[in-house]
Amino acid sequence: MRKSLTHKLKPWILSFLFCVSYLFSIFFNHAFIFQHDADHFWKDGWVFLVVDLAITIAGVWLTKLHHCALSHVGMVELTKVVGINIVIFLSNIIICLCHVSCITIQGCFVIFLLGSATFLTLLFSYRLYTSIRRYFGTRKNEKGKRALIVGAGKAGVAIAKEILNSNKISYSLVGFIDDDPAKQHTSIFGYHVLGYSTDIPAIVKEKKIETIIIAIPSAKPDVIKELSSLCVSCKCEVKVLPGIYQLLNGQVSVQRLRDVEVNDLLGREPVQTNLDEVMAYIEGQTVLVTGGGGSIGSELCRQIASHSPKKLIIVDIYENTTYEVQLELKRKHPELDLVVLIASVRDSSRMDAIFKLYQPDIVFHAAAHKHVPLMESSPTEAVKNNIIGTYKLAKCAHNYGVKTFVQISTDKAVNPTNIMGATKRVCEMIIQYFSRISKTSFVAVRFGNVLGSNGSVIPLFRKQIEEGGPVTVTHKDIIRYFMTIPEAVSLVLQAGAYAKGGEIFVLDMGEQVKIYDLAKNLIRLSGYEPGKDIKIEITGLRPGEKLYEERLMAEEGLINTANDKISIRKPIDFDESKLLEVLDKLYDEAYAESEEIKALVKELVPTYQIYEEK
């Protein structure tokens, strides 16, 4: 019965109830107010009865009042009820003017009031019932987690309403928080707005709050960052309503709440990509992705697969993750023409054979050694894979007429203090060289650390927290640019759409984030207290590591693109003949396992500061 009331009554039931209400109104008016006898009523009053019932039935059906959800009755339904009653009132006046003496004009007004009251009582009965139930606290979820909602706007009200109405939700609402002065000391469903966001720690302690729900879908990322950090510091479970589109689509619900993630603590808008541009240049093309089993490469493959390429070729030397990506893409995109190849970009003959057989139109080069400390101890491997591998791949792209070649670079290529960053800077120079001699559009994409990627600090911190700590940070003041994997991939794809040749695309990644603060926030998100439950240990800078990264060198400048979050680095001139000469030497010295390999790289990258182990 409750379910049917919450949705709608049967049409004939509602019509019958409204008819009975008017019959009662007329009879009450006649028998008790004007004290007419029954014979007098049935002699003249039947005219009123027939007309009023006919208008009632017609009004209910024409306005579709019988379709209204009783749990959401509001001003629209109220307007319809008043409209029907005004028509009935005017009809009764006309009957009175025709000299029917049973009911006077004064009586018509009484019928109008009684009929309207009965109408509205029937419509608002369910809402009245739920309001009383809320007020006296008879709901079944009182023993759930004590919840505080941050945001007393539409989203917060919707969340509160669902918490109060559902017996399947394990939250007990305590109150609201809102920074709007006009909402202070007001109440919603009987629950008070308890204060401002700055009052959260005190309210949590006073009211014994267990869960904080952030329901401000229109808030900017920096606001969410500040709120999330504040709430997490209170040692409460923190849930966030995803975004404004949820509110617009009517999808605000407790089920759509999610845990606060590290991404929420970055404090900047996510980078948006023009998907129409991406689809336009990928659709119907043969696309090759090197390093397709890695974090960035695999996400590239997923996005490309959804943009209807003619063929997708995945190249990687590591078979385990590559096999997993293959299975995933076959399952999600059975129509995709997918080729998965185990191969090294160092192998000239293998690369040549692949390009000759498949004739790719677009190449995304994500294969590289990226781990800074490991490359410091194995510099020749960094040169072989990053520099020589990139040169061989770029040469194949040039020889076989590839349309677009996108190189994945890093902010560590700017004024590098490690061999990994220095090799990546040489890769950028190789791309710039080939862009001048080739019809292929060679471009590079430079971005910072990627949250959640293989080798990033987040998976390491999570593992250390699971093991009970300590969480290791190399330096208390070390800062880094961060972005998410989808952002990184969107930038790479967008770069391919903008590519004309020779550009290095740079992402606006907002402010750099302190790694120490990131560690503390992640510990709190995991439900522990930093320094007390989980220790943070400072281990010292690793070989080749510096305190901060840079997006640009001093002599570089930026050119805007159509996406204000993506810029183009102005090219720096260099001696191409020297580049080719040193590349030949690097090849020989790398395979000879020379100890002078870093000094040779520095000849190409003068800003490279060679780390001297003490």
Side-chain angles (χ1 to χ4, degrees), residues 411-412 415 417-418 449 473-482 512-516 538 540-542 544-550 609:
D411 57 2
K412 292 177 176 60
N415 299 323
T417 57
N418 53 70
N449 294 267
V473 178
T474 59
H475 195 285
K476 200 166 185 177
D477 296 323
I478 193 168
I479 55 177
R480 289 290 183 268
Y481 289 113
F482 278 100
Q512 297 197 63
V513 177
K514 216 172 186 178
I515 301 296
Y516 187 80
I538 307 299
L541 291 174
R542 299 174 298 179
E545 191 172 43
K546 56 183 180 179
L547 284 177
Y548 61 93
E549 303 290 358
E550 302 157 272
Q609 303 169 40

Side-chain angles (χ1 to χ4, degrees), residues 53 224 240 248 305 311 325 333 366 434 504:
L53 292 185
I224 293 296
V240 181
L248 294 175
K311 187 189 296 289
V325 174
H333 303 279
F434 273 103
I504 295 179

